[in-house]
Amino acid sequence: MEPDLSFELAGGPYAVTAARLALADIDSALDPSTAFDVRLLVSELVTNSVQHASVSAEEAIRLHVDIGGACVRVEVMDNGPGFEQRDPVPDAATDSGWGLFLVNQIADRWGVAKEEDSCVWFEIDRKDEEVDESAA
């Protein structure tokens, strides 16, 4: 598996499925627990792009995954308005807001950037043996 991957996914109702399929090979490069966490967090961020940035099937969500170093870095980008990063608190009354809460809880670092496009990124530190095996 290449250490640096980029995908362009159609938005809309099948975007999460497409993102998970794009990440099918990460099991060969990452510890199963790390691979699970990456897929979960990507699913949550792609869902946010569709729901909150209203990215339709005619528009694109860009996904960039870098597994070549001591951490896995993922960026999910769309043409939405972006938002200010804050400590996410889920709304139990409406059962919403869990996506960024999970990112905040699972990722070692995460953030929001807004330049040309809106970008939410996260990093998960790799275990030492993971990094050693990928270098071999």
Side-chain angles (χ1 to χ4, degrees), residues 4 9-10 19 27 42-43 51 53 55 60 74 79-80 92-94 97 115 132:
D4 193 23
L9 313 166
D27 289 323
V42 165
S43 296
Q51 290 183 344
V55 179
V74 175
N79 60 0
T94 62
E115 290 178 17
D132 293 341

Side-chain angles (χ1 to χ4, degrees), residues 64-78:
H64 181 251
V65 182
D66 184 356
I67 61 170
C71 72
V72 178
R73 181 178 171 93
V74 175
E75 298 173 350
V76 177
M77 297 156 281
D78 59 51

Side-chain angles (χ1 to χ4, degrees), residues 21-22 33 35 46-47 62 66 70 72-73 85-87 102 117:
L21 288 171
S33 176
V46 169
T47 296
R62 286 163 309 289
D66 184 356
V72 178
R73 181 178 171 93
Q85 183 175 347
R86 63 193 183 300
D87 195 20
L102 289 171
D117 291 320

